[in-house]
Amino acid sequence: ELEGNASNINVAENIVPGVALPESNCNGSVLIKRRNSSNETFVEAKVADGFISVLPFETCDVNIYANSDGVDIRGLDIQYNDLSLTLSGFADTTGYFDGQLIANSTNLSSLPAEWGVPITSGSAQVTGRVTGIDPVYDFTGEAALADVGMSPLNIESGNCELAISDVLGDWGVTTLANGSGLSLGGVNLGDYTLEGVVGGEYARVRTFRSTLGDTLISARGQATFSDTLASYYIPEFTIDVEGNQWELENSVKLELSPETIVVESFAIASEFGSLRCFGNLDRPNDLLDGSLNISDFDMSLLIPFAGERGKHLNGQLSAEMLLGGSVSLPVFDLQAELVDCEMPLAKIDSLAVSSIY
């Protein structure tokens, strides 16, 4: 039996003989009991200010039992900021682990910075199964989300089925999610369902659907990411507002980097009108080029997304906006006409606007 305070504890360094465990480092009180006759080891510890693999912690309570069959993690209770995590399970003599994970975060913005999670608010509860051999572990389970902010995206509530491969390494997440109160850039999209996959350098939305009253949005697309470039490809996008359906005529292709923005020409149209757009911003070469052409757009279609301030939107809008010149000296040309618009204090038969900047 060994009991006392210890520093720089690493459970991977044969604390449990013959079993591979994750790298760790921490300080605190440790009790180790060893029965050589039956090859049993008991480890209890209360440690602080350390890490286990990629998980930092402020406090960690450990209760482990090991014998010739493997290691029984009876309890691993971790606290870091507003995140609490409990792991239990069994690792056999090959190192294969099968266990249960329960995690709760009351403030997702306080997750470890090294995880790179771009969430600014919200809470989550995650439960599920962890399996694998160090350092490759997989997770399958469920997550419940509330008031999650991930600018420009916000979610009031959500429930997700999750399958995460290689959690500690080159991770990939497959999810089926649904919930309510989805908004994008302050625009309310209502209830939603989503099926897709995401990793450190890619994301694929297999199906997306949102409903707000009589307004339905559906989409499919994918993206790839690197340190210097993000590329987006959207082959399907449809908005149905009270039976008025707008859909892409061709795929949207978009590339973003710190110095450039490239939007290839695309159009979204219905039997009542169309919207066409392209753009190019190139800072190194000081180039700017783009256009937006709107033909016979029914402004009332924006009412479901505009909230109280937009409840009087109506009329038909046609416009052509041209962007040119250079990044340092841009030129903006607008030609627009609004017809058959009735406002609370005025009726507009026709209003033309021409502007050059």
Side-chain angles (χ1 to χ4, degrees), residues 111-317:
L111 293 176
E114 53 266 37
W115 289 5
V117 180
I119 297 178
T120 57
S121 63
S123 62
Q125 181 178 38
V126 180
T127 59
R129 183 182 179 191
V130 179
T131 57
I133 297 177
D134 187 66
V136 180
Y137 296 97
D138 300 329
F139 172 85
T140 56
E142 300 177 344
L145 309 175
D147 300 321
V148 173
M150 191 166 52
S151 183
L153 186 71
N154 290 276
I155 298 170
E156 289 183 2
S157 67
N159 294 287
C160 309
E161 297 177 9
L162 297 171
I164 308 176
S165 61
D166 196 2
V167 174
L168 305 180
D170 187 17
W171 56 272
V173 181
T174 300
T175 184
L176 176 62
N178 63 82
S180 62
L182 173 66
S183 64
L184 180 64
V187 177
N188 185 16
L189 302 180
D191 299 336
Y192 66 93
T193 59
L194 169 70
E195 181 182 2
V197 296
V198 63
E201 297 181 347
Y202 65 90
R204 290 191 294 273
V205 177
R206 293 170 178 162
T207 60
F208 169 80
R209 181 185 179 97
S210 71
T211 55
L212 180 66
D214 294 327
T215 301
L216 168 67
I217 298 176
S218 59
R220 179 172 63 88
Q222 64 186 50
T224 57
F225 312 102
S226 70
D227 292 338
T228 58
L229 182 67
S231 299
Y232 301 87
Y233 173 67
I234 305 172
E236 295 182 13
F237 182 81
T238 302
I239 303 178
D240 191 317
V241 184
E242 299 178 351
N244 187 344
Q245 183 169 293
W246 292 69
E247 59 185 352
L248 286 174
E249 290 185 347
N250 59 300
S251 301
V252 176
K253 298 178 181 179
L254 170 67
E255 290 188 350
L256 302 176
S257 78
E259 299 293 332
T260 62
I261 300 174
V262 178
V263 182
E264 294 189 15
S265 179
F266 73 91
I268 182 169
S270 77
E271 60 180 309
F272 303 103
S274 65
L275 182 152
R276 301 177 186 278
C277 178
F278 83 91
N280 182 17
L281 183 150
D282 185 341
R283 293 185 186 278
N285 295 303
D286 201 24
L287 297 176
L288 191 62
D289 185 27
S291 73
L292 174 64
N293 187 286
I294 302 171
S295 177
D296 298 324
F297 182 78
D298 184 353
M299 296 292 289
S300 65
L301 298 177
L302 298 177
I303 291 176
F305 310 108
E308 182 66 21
R309 289 178 296 180
K311 64 182 180 180
H312 298 297
L313 286 171
N314 66 95
Q316 302 292 123
L317 176 67

Side-chain angles (χ1 to χ4, degrees), residues 299 311-316 338-350:
M299 296 292 289
K311 64 182 180 180
H312 298 297
L313 286 171
N314 66 95
Q316 302 292 123
L338 179 66
V339 299
D340 299 328
C341 176
E342 294 190 11
M343 306 297 287
L345 299 179
K347 178 180 179 181
I348 300 174
D349 293 327
S350 177

Side-chain angles (χ1 to χ4, degrees), residues 276-280 288-294 319-326 329-336 355-357:
R276 301 177 186 278
C277 178
F278 83 91
N280 182 17
L288 191 62
D289 185 27
S291 73
L292 174 64
N293 187 286
I294 302 171
E320 183 177 29
M321 290 171 276
L322 301 177
L323 192 61
S326 63
L329 192 61
V331 176
F332 176 74
D333 187 343
L334 169 66
Q335 307 293 325
S355 175
I356 297 178
Y357 172 79

Side-chain angles (χ1 to χ4, degrees), residues 16-17 19-21 64-67 69-73 89-93 97:
V16 181
V19 177
L21 294 173
I64 295 176
Y65 167 74
N67 59 20
D69 296 326
V71 178
D72 181 10
I73 299 179
F90 183 79
D92 63 22
T93 53
F97 178 79

